[in-house]
């Protein structure tokens, strides 16, 4: 959308011996999110309105001042536009994060120069919330943080140097919010190695999948609520595939005078994918394949045909149900699945 | 009616013991959350035909079950109602549970981490001593059981412990002195095949500390209550997993795998850890009924309730706290956790009459330590200078509902030691004022000061106001050069001349408490709310700020944080600073005085 903007930050590099290990996924994740933001079927944000910041080891960056520089850049761009405001800002962060000491709500986004001795080298999410609410330059904020919220170390994040009074937006204190944190208070977020041997954050992977169509509601629209439900359900499922435990925290809070946040009204067609179902010996059948409305799509007899192949649409939920035992299994083929999808039931 | 307009009832219920702690979320196939809540009462939702995911969450674990809703459907979690309408219900199980304590359900295999080799070891060694008693015929004991997730995992983690995990642990007393080294033979029972260690000893009432060495050393306070047996369980990985710490109190010197109340302790701890502090009436009633056999459940229930700020069950909780103090854990009023609960109760119920005596030691629960720290903003006498609670803020970890901290370099100043009556008053006053002045060595210096106003090495000395009705000498902390001991009150009085003593040596505890309060309140009332620049004068203040920022590598975390904060906010008062940094006011005085002392010497 013409009036949308984005600030995208990915930090892999952290101060050696500072207490935080180097990461391998955040910059890649941030770039994947940037792709979605620029995609005409995705965020559809004009290129010149997308600001990004990726870490480097030498020089070690970014720090809180550089984040404020980029934040100011995006605020200035919106204020310089024809409407002197923006509809939506996408703020995305991937890197290390911590829960602020004794504060269940705030998250400290750790900068590259964070260390145990420099616990203040972190951006305060709560302070950002205040800045965006007080400046009112953007009507909607989509704030995404793919990072931990652990409490092991004392984190006292810094206050932004941005002075809201000098950024007179028309939506001051009338801002709608969609906040998505990769982990709950006190918990970890994880990065894993995928089949292509690339490291990626579990949460961002699920997020991109959701934004690309999997999080659509019955009407084919991805709303704040449907994306929130999708992320809560599927982040956990994705983490368990790697024997990990991760539950995100999502807050969709449209302002009382505004409409709920909507991400995409285009009914994205993810195409179909070949799916092979292997029935286990204990599955006697008949086995039914149901769609999201519980309508029967197919019926199988495992004793006669222990393996079946069929084409299924991507990003839709289906269920296999073994009638005698009531055993069930959900099938959802992700958008990125190109090779044959295997299910054992 | 089209298929999409058909609607049916989805009914979910559970009569399992865990139902108070179970959370259920139901998601449609189209990314809608159609139900979110508890299961203490049966759930009945009318929903469109379709496929749904029922997510059951308990103690941080989840299990998902997919269902097809094409008729009215009944789902039971583990156990449910036995009425006719539920007779055809589909039964789904709860998520698997994990606990450091090797608990076991009688009918179900709920606890996946409770292997027979850990259960049997814990039950055996909870009943018998592994080392000689510290005092004869104590009716109280401490049992510590450390284990790995399984013996297979133990093999995997062995190299991280240099093949001797017992060597990493010690038991300390509250001053930091080593009582037992688990690495030495004859103190513990250990199994290097299955991966467990048991320590059990009869111990006097009081605070003890489990010291864990390693890359990130940590200490855990454990309190032994009179006539109760404290049982501590911890799981180890490649390092101790402090989030798995479990502490029980048993009336018998025995751990039982089937102990029902211990299962609820797990549930409460999880709620406290995750800040999920809303409690149902049923859960509170259960805690109220069983606290007599399991006071830990009562303590936890009270802590959780006070964190929630709810007032729905005030009457029950008030009675619970009263019973804990006066009946169940009577004669244990010195326990830091009971002191903390008293403070929390006062704050919650809105009264001010609670003991303001300094708290010796620190609570086992982090919520208790934080309560004492917050109360000390207005009653700084609760935290003595150089006490454990004074230093703890800088070393505290936040990843467990229990108090755990990095080892404090200066553990437990002399003010926590046993005092003889003769010295007690002097030391209380000296302890209170010590942050504000340096010690004066030698009687000769004292003589010079007599009647002259004196030579002050610390500007705070000039700030101590005269206290009406109290003549304890200008320099209460004078030290005898020969013995190195603080001067006796009599000696000081003699030196100052024949002044009339208005505070008798044998005055009762209440008067001593009042004196302490008077001294500290007077000082704090006068100075705690003034900006530093006003207290110290502009020149000294600038010197102080400069001193703070001079060397980033040295100085404690607190002093460096104060430097950073004062740089941005020069008009802060000591009380503002204490609140902002979540530390006691006493700590601010201490750090400032220590920095000033260094400043003057340079």
């Amino acid at each position: 959308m013409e009036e949308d903007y984005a600030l995208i930050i990915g930090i892999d590099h952290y101060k050696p011996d500072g207490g935080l290990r180097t990461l391998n996924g955040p910059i890649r994740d941030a770039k994947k999110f940037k792709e979605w933001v620029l995609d005409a079927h995705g965020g559809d944000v004009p290129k010149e309105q997308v600001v990004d910041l990726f870490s480097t080891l030498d020089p070690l960056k970014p720090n809180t001042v550089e984040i404020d520089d980029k934040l100011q850049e995006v605020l200035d761009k919106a204020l310089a536009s024809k409407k002197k405001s923006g509809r939506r800002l996408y703020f995305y962060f991937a890197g290390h994060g911590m829960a602020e000491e004794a504060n269940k709500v705030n998250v400290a986004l750790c900068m590259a120069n964070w260390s145990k001795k420099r616990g203040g080298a972190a951006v305060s999410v709560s302070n950002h919330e205040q800045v965006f609410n007080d400046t009112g330059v953007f009507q909607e904020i989509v704030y995404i943080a793919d990072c931990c919220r652990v409490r092991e170390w004392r984190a006292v994040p810094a206050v932004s140097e941005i002075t809201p009074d000098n950024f007179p937006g028309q939506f001051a204190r009338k801002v709608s919010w969609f906040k998505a944190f990769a982990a709950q208070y006190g918990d970890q977020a994880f990065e894993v190695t995928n089949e292509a041997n690339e490291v990626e954050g579990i949460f961002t992977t699920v997020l991109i999948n959701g934004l690309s169509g999997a999080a659509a509601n019955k009407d084919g629209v991805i709303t704040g609520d449907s994306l929130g439900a999708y992320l809560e359900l599927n982040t956990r499922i994705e983490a368990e595939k790697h024997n990990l435990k991760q539950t995100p925290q999502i807050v969709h809070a449209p302002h009382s005078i505004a409409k709920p946040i909507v991400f995409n009204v285009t009914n994205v067609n993810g195409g179909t994918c070949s799916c092979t179902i292997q029935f286990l010996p204990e599955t006697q059948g008949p086995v039914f394949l149901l769609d999201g409305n519980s309508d029967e799509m197919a019926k199988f007899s495992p004793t006669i045909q222990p393996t079946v192949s069929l084409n299924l649409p991507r990003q839709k939920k289906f269920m296999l149900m073994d009638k005698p035992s009531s055993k069930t299994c959900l099938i959802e083929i992700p958008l990125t699945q190109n090779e044959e999808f295997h299910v054992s039931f | 009616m089209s298929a999409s307009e058909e609607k049916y009832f989805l009914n979910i219920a559970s009569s399992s013991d865990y139902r108070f702690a179970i959370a259920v979320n139901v998601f449609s196939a189209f990314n809608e959350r159609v139900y979110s809540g508890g299961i203490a009462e049966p759930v009945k939702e009318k929903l469109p035909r379709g496929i749904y995911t029922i997510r059951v969450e308990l103690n941080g674990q989840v299990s998902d079950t997919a269902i097809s809703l094409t008729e009215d459907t009944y789902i039971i979690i583990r156990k449910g109602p036995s009425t006719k309408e539920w007779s055809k219900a589909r039964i789904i199980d709860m998520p698997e549970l994990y606990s450091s304590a090797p608990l076991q359900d009688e009918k179900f295999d709920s606890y996946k981490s409770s292997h027979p080799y850990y259960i049997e070891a814990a039950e055996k060694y909870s009943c018998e001593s592994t080392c000689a008693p510290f005092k004869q015929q104590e009716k109280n004991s401490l049992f510590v059981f450390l284990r790995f997730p399984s013996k297979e995992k133990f093999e995997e983690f062995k190299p991280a412990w240099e093949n001797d995990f017992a060597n990493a642990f010690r038991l300390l007393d509250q001053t930091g002195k080593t009582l037992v080294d688990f690495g030495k033979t004859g103190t513990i029972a250990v199994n290097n095949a299955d991966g467990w260690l048991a320590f059990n000893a009869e111990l006097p009432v009081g605070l003890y500390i489990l010291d864990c060495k390693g890359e990130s050393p940590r200490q855990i306070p454990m309190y032994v209550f009179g006539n109760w047996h404290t049982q501590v369980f911890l799981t180890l990985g490649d390092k101790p997993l402090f989030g798995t710490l479990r502490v029980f109190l048993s009336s018998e010197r025995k751990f039982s795998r089937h102990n029902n109340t211990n299962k609820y302790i797990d549930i409460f701890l999880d709620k406290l850890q995750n800040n999920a502090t809303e409690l149902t009436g049923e859960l509170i009633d259960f805690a109220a009924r069983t606290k007599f056999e399991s006071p830990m459940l009562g303590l936890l229930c009270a802590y959780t309730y006070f964190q929630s700020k709810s007032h729905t069950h005030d009457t029950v909780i008030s009675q619970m706290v009263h019973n804990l103090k006066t009946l169940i854990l009577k004669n244990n009023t010195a326990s830091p956790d009971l002191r903390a609960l008293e403070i929390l109760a006062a704050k919650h119920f809105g009264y001010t009459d609670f003991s303001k005596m300094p708290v010796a030691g620190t609570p086992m629960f982090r919520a208790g330590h934080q309560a004492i720290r917050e109360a000390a903003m207005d009653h700084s006498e609760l935290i003595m200078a150089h006490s454990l609670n004074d230093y703890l803020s800088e070393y505290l970890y936040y990843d467990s509902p229990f108090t755990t901290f990095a080892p404090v370099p200066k553990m437990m100043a002399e003010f926590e030691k046993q005092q003889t009556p003769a010295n007690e008053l002097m030391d209380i006053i000296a302890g209170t004022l010590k942050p504000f002045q340096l010690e004066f060595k030698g009687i000769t210096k004292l003589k010079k000061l007599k009647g002259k106003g004196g030579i002050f090495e610390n500007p705070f000395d000039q700030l101590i106001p005269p206290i009406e009705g109290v003549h304890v000498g200008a320099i209460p902390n004078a030290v005898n050069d020969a013995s190195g001991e603080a001067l006796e009150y009599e000696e000081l009085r003699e030196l100052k001349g024949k002044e009339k003593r208005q505070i008798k040596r044998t005055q009762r505890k209440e008067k001593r408490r009042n004196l302490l309060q008077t001294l500290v309140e007077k000082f704090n009332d006068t100075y705690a709310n003034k900006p530093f620049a006003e207290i110290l004068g502009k020149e000294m203040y600038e010197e102080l700020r400069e001193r703070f920022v001079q060397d980033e590598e040295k100085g404690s975390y607190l002093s460096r944080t104060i430097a950073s904060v004062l740089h941005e906010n020069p008009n802060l008062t000591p009380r503002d600073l204490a609140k902002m940094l979540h530390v006691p006011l006493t700590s601010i005085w201490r750090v400032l005085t220590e920095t000033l002392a260094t400043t003057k010497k340079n």
Side-chain angles (χ1 to χ4, degrees):
Chain A
M1 292 275 282
E2 196 186 317
E3 297 151 32
D4 291 353
Y5 296 76
L7 171 51
I8 298 169
I9 302 158
I11 304 182
D12 283 358
H13 308 91
Y14 283 89
K15 186 175 178 177
D17 300 325
L20 293 176
R21 67 177 182 91
T22 299
L23 296 170
N24 298 299
I27 292 179
R28 183 177 293 109
D29 286 341
K31 287 179 177 172
K32 279 197 308 201
F33 185 76
K34 185 180 173 182
E35 271 176 42
W36 178 85
V37 157
L38 291 168
D39 186 352
H41 292 294
D44 194 23
V45 178
K47 193 175 173 190
E48 59 278 10
Q49 287 166 198
V50 177
V51 173
D52 62 33
L53 182 54
F54 303 126
S55 67
T56 58
L57 186 59
D58 187 14
L60 186 63
K61 66 168 201 174
N63 56 33
T64 53
V65 172
E66 284 158 329
I67 300 294
D68 273 342
D69 289 342
K70 293 292 183 183
L71 189 49
Q72 183 179 340
E73 187 182 332
V74 90
L75 288 167
D76 283 340
K77 278 182 196 285
L79 283 173
S81 69
K82 263 189 286 190
K83 288 198 172 179
K84 300 197 188 315
S85 65
R87 183 191 76 125
R88 181 180 297 171
L89 172 71
Y90 294 96
F91 179 98
Y92 174 93
F93 173 89
H96 278 298
M98 298 183 183
E100 187 188 339
E101 175 186 325
N103 185 328
K104 189 181 164 186
V105 175
N106 197 11
V107 184
L109 308 179
C110 299
M111 296 295 104
N113 62 327
W114 191 95
S115 70
K116 293 176 198 174
K117 292 183 178 177
R118 297 288 287 265
V123 161
S124 163
V125 168
S126 291
N127 178 247
H128 268 188
E129 199 171 330
Q130 195 179 345
V131 165
F132 289 127
N133 278 333
D134 288 349
T135 54
V137 171
F138 301 103
Q139 189 177 18
E140 295 175 354
I141 303 290
V142 173
Y143 200 103
I144 299 164
D146 189 351
C147 63
C148 295
R149 292 172 70 182
V150 292
R151 295 172 295 181
E152 190 175 331
W153 293 110
R154 172 182 287 214
V156 187
V159 168
S160 170
E161 293 176 357
I162 299 284
T163 315
D165 291 348
N166 294 326
F167 293 88
Q170 53 186 278
F171 303 110
R173 287 166 285 285
K174 292 180 211 165
V175 178
S176 294
W177 282 85
F178 180 86
K179 286 184 273 189
F181 300 113
Q184 302 263 338
Y185 171 69
D187 284 344
Q188 288 178 280
F190 296 97
E191 55 179 19
V192 295
T193 306
N194 63 18
E195 285 169 0
N197 219 30
E198 294 166 338
V199 177
E200 57 187 18
I202 290 174
F203 180 70
T204 297
T205 302
V206 176
L207 173 71
I208 301 290
N209 213 39
L211 287 171
S212 302
N217 63 14
K218 219 163 192 167
D219 303 318
V221 178
I222 303 170
T223 65
D225 286 341
S226 71
L227 180 61
Y230 179 82
L231 287 169
E232 281 198 36
L233 183 63
N234 290 283
T235 305
R236 193 75 192 232
I237 292 171
E238 192 61 33
E240 283 188 350
K241 290 179 188 170
H242 301 274
N243 292 320
L244 297 167
K245 197 176 85 178
Q246 182 172 336
T247 307
Q249 182 180 19
I250 314 296
V251 176
H252 176 212
H255 193 268
S256 53
I257 59 166
K259 292 179 188 171
I261 289 178
V262 171
F263 289 92
N264 202 321
V265 294
T266 305
N267 198 354
V268 176
N269 185 351
T272 60
C273 178
S274 174
C275 176
T276 300
I277 303 170
Q278 172 86 40
F279 295 110
L280 300 170
E282 59 266 27
T283 306
Q284 293 296 300
V287 172
F288 295 92
L289 177 67
L290 307 176
D291 69 7
N293 292 314
S294 282
D295 291 331
E296 190 182 309
M297 292 175 66
K299 180 178 172 182
F300 307 110
S301 299
T303 49
I304 300 169
Q305 209 177 356
T307 306
V308 294
S309 284
L310 67 167
N311 283 331
L312 286 177
R314 292 189 182 85
Q315 297 179 308
K316 301 282 183 206
K317 279 194 174 60
F318 302 95
M319 189 171 91
L320 290 169
M321 183 168 73
D322 178 41
K323 195 77 174 169
S325 65
S326 298
K327 185 173 74 168
T328 57
C329 163
L330 274 180
I331 301 174
E332 185 177 358
I333 303 174
L335 185 66
T336 51
Q337 184 77 21
N338 291 318
E339 293 172 5
E340 196 164 66
F341 190 77
H342 291 272
V343 177
S344 293
F345 182 66
Chain B
M1 192 191 303
S2 70
S4 62
E5 290 169 345
E6 293 170 42
K7 288 193 175 184
Y8 303 99
F9 282 108
L10 174 61
N11 301 273
I12 309 174
S14 179
S15 59
S16 137
D17 290 341
Y18 299 94
R19 67 188 179 283
F20 317 114
I22 289 173
V24 172
N25 281 277
V26 182
F27 297 91
S28 77
F30 302 102
N31 300 306
E32 299 157 305
R33 190 207 312 271
V34 296
Y35 177 78
S36 178
I39 203 79
E41 295 296 325
V43 171
K44 185 173 186 162
E45 292 287 319
K46 196 166 190 181
L47 301 170
R49 173 192 168 102
I51 57 179
Y52 293 87
T53 301
I54 300 174
R55 171 165 285 180
V56 178
E57 187 162 359
L58 173 65
N59 274 17
Q61 307 295 325
V62 302
S63 65
D64 290 339
T65 305
I67 62 156
S68 170
L69 190 68
T70 54
E71 57 184 356
D72 286 348
T73 300
Y74 293 80
I75 303 286
I76 285 175
I77 301 173
R78 172 68 68 86
K79 290 194 303 187
S82 52
T83 57
K84 192 180 173 186
E85 67 175 340
W86 289 90
S87 58
K88 289 185 182 170
R90 178 176 168 186
I91 299 175
I92 62 177
D93 206 356
M94 298 183 325
E96 294 170 347
L97 297 174
Y98 297 87
S99 176
S100 285
L103 298 166
Q104 206 176 51
D105 271 335
E106 274 168 322
K107 288 181 190 168
F108 300 95
D109 186 21
S110 305
Y111 286 91
K112 290 303 169 193
S113 51
S114 295
H115 305 288
Y117 41 87
Y118 292 144
I119 296 173
E120 285 152 17
E123 285 184 333
K124 175 177 159 62
Y125 288 101
S126 64
C127 305
E128 54 189 70
S129 292
T130 59
C131 70
F134 286 72
K135 211 171 165 186
Q136 292 301 320
Q137 293 179 340
E138 287 287 0
K139 293 177 191 169
N140 356 285
S141 70
L142 174 65
F143 171 58
V144 177
F145 190 75
L146 309 179
R147 37 76 61 96
F148 287 81
S150 65
K151 60 181 171 186
E152 291 79 18
K153 282 289 182 186
F154 173 51
E155 282 304 315
E156 205 179 297
F157 290 130
K158 254 186 192 171
W161 297 90
E162 296 173 354
N163 296 321
D164 184 6
F165 69 97
N167 206 29
F169 298 94
R170 295 180 301 161
L171 182 72
L172 314 178
D173 70 10
Q174 68 172 0
T175 66
K177 187 180 119 190
T178 302
L179 292 176
V180 181
D181 186 336
F182 287 7
K184 293 202 168 118
T185 52
T187 61
I188 57 166
V190 63
N191 184 312
N192 282 306
D194 299 337
W196 59 260
L197 167 170
F199 166 82
N200 196 334
E202 292 162 348
L203 289 173
V205 171
L207 189 75
Y208 299 87
I209 292 174
L210 180 65
D211 176 72
C212 313
K213 291 186 273 192
E215 211 177 277
S216 295
R218 211 185 283 210
Q219 295 180 337
I220 305 167
M222 307 171 292
Y223 198 85
V224 172
F225 291 86
N227 299 310
W228 289 91
H229 304 275
T230 302
Q231 301 169 339
V232 178
F233 299 86
L234 182 66
T235 302
L236 311 177
D238 56 354
K239 55 185 179 182
L241 306 175
F242 295 104
T244 69
L245 184 64
R246 292 293 179 265
V247 181
F248 305 140
L249 292 177
S250 175
S251 55
E252 284 180 74
R253 197 180 178 193
K254 180 184 166 187
F255 165 76
S256 166
R257 72 184 80 177
H258 292 309
N259 190 318
N260 215 33
T261 57
N262 289 342
K263 290 192 296 197
Y264 282 91
I265 288 172
D266 244 17
I267 290 168
F268 273 108
L269 277 169
D270 218 61
K271 281 186 166 296
L272 209 55
Q273 170 75 346
N274 296 324
N275 274 273
T277 51
E278 284 68 42
L279 298 175
T280 61
E282 235 169 339
L283 208 44
I284 292 176
D285 279 343
F286 181 84
R289 277 183 279 120
T290 50
K291 66 182 181 298
F292 289 92
E293 60 200 75
S294 176
M296 181 56 69
L297 196 56
L299 284 172
L300 263 171
C301 181
Y303 268 125
T304 310
Y305 183 77
F306 289 136
Q307 300 306 300
S308 76
K309 318 282 185 224
S310 162
H311 287 273
T312 313
H313 305 283
D314 274 3
T315 310
V316 176
I317 296 293
S318 172
Q319 189 63 48
M320 189 185 289
V321 173
H322 175 78
N323 286 346
L324 279 168
K325 270 172 41 182
T326 58
L327 289 173
I328 305 163
L329 295 173
K330 70 176 179 185
N331 301 326
N332 284 289
T333 48
S335 145
D337 280 286
L338 287 180
R339 293 291 308 276
L341 274 185
E342 186 189 23
I343 289 167
L344 282 167
K347 185 179 170 189
H348 185 86
F349 297 118
Y351 56 82
T352 54
D353 181 25
F354 59 89
S355 169
K356 314 293 192 307
M357 287 294 285
V359 177
T362 198
M364 287 190 285
F365 289 95
R366 187 163 51 80
H369 168 75
Q370 283 170 339
I372 293 168
R373 200 172 68 193
E374 281 167 19
M377 296 288 179
D378 296 319
H379 305 281
S380 59
E381 62 273 29
L382 284 168
I383 296 181
M384 292 286 278
H386 304 286
S387 68
L388 182 58
N389 283 318
D390 176 13
Y391 287 104
L392 212 52
S393 320
E394 299 173 59
Y395 297 91
L396 201 61
Y397 281 95
Y398 292 84
D399 53 359
S400 168
F402 290 98
T403 306
T404 66
F405 48 93
V408 177
K410 299 179 203 179
M411 268 278 280
M412 305 308 290
E414 57 269 20
F415 310 108
E416 305 247 330
K417 285 191 305 200
Q418 289 295 315
Q419 298 292 320
T420 63
N423 283 332
E424 192 172 344
L425 171 60
M426 188 60 67
D427 282 346
I428 288 172
I429 296 167
T432 308
L433 295 180
K434 192 177 177 181
F436 319 131
Q437 62 180 53
L438 296 177
E439 291 181 25
F440 283 80
K441 303 277 185 188
I443 297 169
T444 41
K445 272 193 185 166
L446 182 64
K447 278 182 179 169
K448 275 186 192 171
L449 290 166
K450 192 171 119 183
K452 275 191 179 182
I455 304 161
F456 294 97
E457 292 189 15
N458 184 320
F460 276 111
D461 291 336
Q462 304 176 46
L463 306 179
I464 299 170
I467 308 294
E468 194 179 314
V470 175
H471 296 275
V472 292
I475 317 297
N477 208 26
V479 171
N480 183 308
D481 239 0
S483 67
E485 298 290 326
L487 288 181
E488 293 280 333
Y489 188 84
E490 288 285 5
E491 289 172 290
L492 197 61
R493 188 178 68 86
E494 197 176 326
L495 282 165
K496 281 188 63 67
K498 294 186 174 65
E499 288 167 63
K500 187 178 175 182
R501 258 168 56 182
Q502 292 185 323
I503 306 297
K504 291 186 195 294
R505 229 189 197 188
T506 54
Q507 70 177 329
R508 292 170 303 168
K509 211 173 179 178
E510 295 77 41
K511 278 191 182 172
R512 284 203 291 274
R513 190 191 311 155
N514 289 338
L515 169 64
L516 177 68
Q517 270 171 242
T518 305
L519 285 171
V520 176
E521 281 166 15
K522 206 69 172 173
F523 189 92
N524 282 335
D525 284 347
T526 311
Y527 297 107
N529 294 321
K530 284 192 176 168
F532 287 107
E534 199 178 318
I535 298 173
L536 296 171
K538 193 177 175 204
E539 200 182 309
M540 174 58 73
Y541 178 56
E542 288 306 322
E543 210 174 313
L544 174 77
R545 282 175 66 187
E546 184 58 38
R547 182 67 202 161
F548 268 133
V549 304
Q550 249 170 24
D551 193 343
E552 190 191 332
E553 296 301 310
K554 292 182 187 168
S556 67
Y557 173 87
L558 184 56
S559 66
R560 284 182 274 112
T561 307
I562 290 174
S564 166
V565 172
L566 281 181
H567 179 68
E568 298 293 327
N569 305 279
N571 295 321
L572 282 179
T573 67
R575 197 182 294 279
D576 290 336
L577 199 56
K579 279 186 180 166
M580 185 186 285
L581 300 181
H582 304 289
V583 298
L585 191 55
T586 312
S587 299
I588 301 293
W589 296 131
R590 170 176 55 76
V591 170
L592 287 174
T593 312
E594 284 168 355
T595 309
L596 273 174
T598 322
T599 307
K600 282 302 257 183
K601 277 176 187 167
N602 287 342

